[in-house]
Amino acid sequence: MIEKFYRRIIDGVPTAVIVVDSNLKAVFTNTAFRALFPSGLIKGNLGKVTCCSSSAARCGRDSCRGCSLLDAFDDALCSNMRVSRRIYQKVCTDGFTHDVTYSLTVTPLGGGLCMGTIDDAYELEIAQELQTAKNIQQRLLPAGNWAGGKRYSYMYIPCRDIGGDLPDVYAVDGSACGVIADVSGKGISAGMLSAFVKAAYDKTEKSPAKAIGNLAAKFSELNLDERNYVTVAAVRIDDDAITYSMAGHNVPILLKTGAGITRIMLNSPPVSNWFENPSYFEDVIHYQKGDILVLLTDGVTECKNGRGEMFGADGAIKTLSVSRTAEEFIKNLEDNLKAFCRDLNDDITAIAFDL
């Protein structure tokens, strides 16, 4: 009866608590602990209880040598002294594996039991929230490789866990449409703004210019300061022509034809609160079957190597010139960028269509 009473008290405290026996098995976890590690288990081996992504089923002294979590409990049991450690662990939640770090204090209780408390559960919770946000953002990316009868391929490499670029491909009235947006900033704020763009962009509007204009009107309702803006390039691909529009997007759209590669530019202001009633325009360019259309963000062209040299539009053009399909271009572009620059300092996004 008293044991149940104490368990009820520990279960109600906000600090994450886990009790481990001499076999390094969890015999109790409280509600706060299970909120951080949503395995659904109150007890069991440490790997399963903490959602460990490596050898959770075989968790134990022999199979997990070097595990900082196991070592912390083992050291406390052997020394019968309190142990504090910084834990680095790979966990798997919602089907995704990610790294977490947290501070663990292990206190011997006697009788072969130790109690572990997580001192910075808030930090761990933030890390998990960031991973959830990353997972959500990944689900906002295009799901297939066909739209409006056109095959496409794309690349999206955020320089942080959460990126500020947005590639989108969809069909309207039988025509393939592509949108590539680059929002100001990086990290969480950029991710939130890119999610806004995804939700606010009107994918029922056939005119790329009107769709961007509608986005600008909705953006102005956010009443953000001048540091926040979005550059956009949008295309609609019909039977033999491409209708395109740009908003502050200084990276050219590239069209590879039998005659060579054309850089397509169109000057319009970015989606921002810098101007009242901005105007957005569109133009048309014709294509033939077998051509390739490419949309990029400046993370591609402004990617710098160790000598400070930029990959540039010329680097993208050279890559496109030796690529026979949209899929081959995206693969070649990723390989060339990684060879050119090991440490990416901006989000890198590209979409390519087989016309």
Side-chain angles (χ1 to χ4, degrees):
M1 187 69 169
I2 294 177
E3 182 182 349
K4 289 183 179 180
F5 178 71
Y6 284 140
R7 281 176 176 262
R8 196 176 304 161
I9 292 175
I10 297 174
D11 201 42
V13 300
T15 301
V17 176
I18 178 172
V19 179
V20 172
D21 65 15
S22 58
N23 294 316
L24 299 180
K25 302 291 185 183
V27 296
F28 173 77
T29 55
N30 72 347
T31 300
F33 187 94
R34 296 193 298 276
L36 293 177
F37 301 97
S39 65
L41 299 174
I42 297 176
K43 57 184 179 179
N45 74 44
L46 280 175
K48 289 185 177 180
V49 168
T50 60
C51 306
C52 179
S53 65
S54 15
S55 304
R58 298 179 285 108
C59 180
R61 281 195 179 93
D62 295 330
S63 60
C64 296
R65 293 186 185 278
C67 170
S68 56
L69 180 62
L70 279 170
D71 286 348
F73 283 103
D74 200 16
D75 290 349
L77 284 166
C78 292
S79 66
N80 199 34
M81 296 178 63
R82 178 178 293 182
V83 171
S84 294
R85 296 283 169 79
R86 190 70 175 165
I87 306 301
Y88 301 88
Q89 189 177 355
K90 286 187 178 292
V91 302
C92 182
T93 56
D94 297 327
F96 293 90
T97 299
H98 53 103
D99 296 316
V100 297
T101 64
Y102 53 93
S103 296
L104 177 72
T105 299
V106 182
T107 304
L109 300 177
L113 296 176
C114 281
M115 178 179 69
T117 57
I118 294 178
D119 300 325
D120 55 358
Y122 181 72
E123 180 183 339
L124 177 56
E125 187 174 357
I126 289 295
Q128 292 179 336
E129 290 294 332
L130 285 173
Q131 183 62 36
T132 300
K134 180 181 179 180
N135 297 343
I136 291 172
Q137 190 173 61
Q138 289 292 322
R139 291 187 173 98
L140 296 179
L141 299 176
N145 51 17
W146 285 89
K150 302 298 182 184
R151 187 175 180 86
Y152 70 90
S153 186
Y154 74 94
M155 172 179 62
Y156 172 67
I157 305 175
C159 68
R160 299 183 183 177
D161 283 343
I162 302 174
D165 284 1
L166 177 70
D168 204 2
V169 180
Y170 59 95
V172 57
D173 292 343
S175 298
C177 296
V179 179
I180 197 162
D182 185 359
V183 310
S184 56
K186 295 180 178 65
I188 297 173
S189 60
M192 292 181 68
L193 194 51
S194 66
F196 162 78
V197 173
K198 173 76 174 184
Y201 192 86
D202 185 1
K203 294 197 288 189
T204 65
E205 174 58 63
K206 286 194 66 174
S207 164
K210 288 182 179 179
I212 293 175
N214 293 342
L215 175 66
K218 292 177 181 177
F219 181 91
S220 67
E221 296 174 1
L222 296 178
N223 198 28
L224 300 175
D225 63 34
E226 67 278 0
R227 293 172 298 178
N228 297 279
Y229 61 90
V230 184
T231 68
V232 186
V235 298
R236 186 188 73 244
I237 306 170
D238 298 313
D239 290 339
D240 62 352
I242 301 162
T243 304
Y244 61 93
S245 183
M246 292 184 177
H249 203 79
N250 60 358
V251 183
I253 295 173
L254 304 178
L255 177 63
K256 179 182 180 180
T257 67
I261 296 174
T262 303
R263 300 188 189 199
I264 304 170
M265 297 290 293
L266 188 63
N267 293 324
S268 292
V271 173
S272 65
N273 289 325
W274 300 349
F275 310 99
E276 289 187 10
N277 303 317
S279 297
Y280 298 98
F281 308 96
E282 62 189 28
D283 207 342
V284 177
I285 186 169
H286 291 274
Y287 72 88
Q288 294 183 344
K289 184 176 176 60
D291 293 348
I292 301 175
L293 178 68
V294 170
L295 286 72
L296 308 165
T297 61
D298 61 9
V300 174
T301 56
E302 295 178 7
C303 179
K304 293 182 180 180
N305 62 14
R307 297 186 296 274
E309 301 167 333
M310 290 198 297
F311 189 75
D314 288 340
I317 289 172
K318 289 178 181 177
T319 304
L320 182 57
S321 66
V322 297
S323 303
R324 295 165 296 178
T325 65
E327 183 178 12
E328 186 176 312
F329 167 74
I330 292 296
K331 183 181 183 304
N332 290 341
L333 182 64
E334 182 172 356
D335 291 343
N336 290 347
L337 284 170
K338 288 181 177 178
F340 183 80
C341 175
R342 292 185 179 181
D343 298 318
L344 304 178
N345 55 14
D346 199 358
D347 303 324
I348 290 180
T349 308
I351 307 173
F353 292 90
D354 288 316
L355 303 178

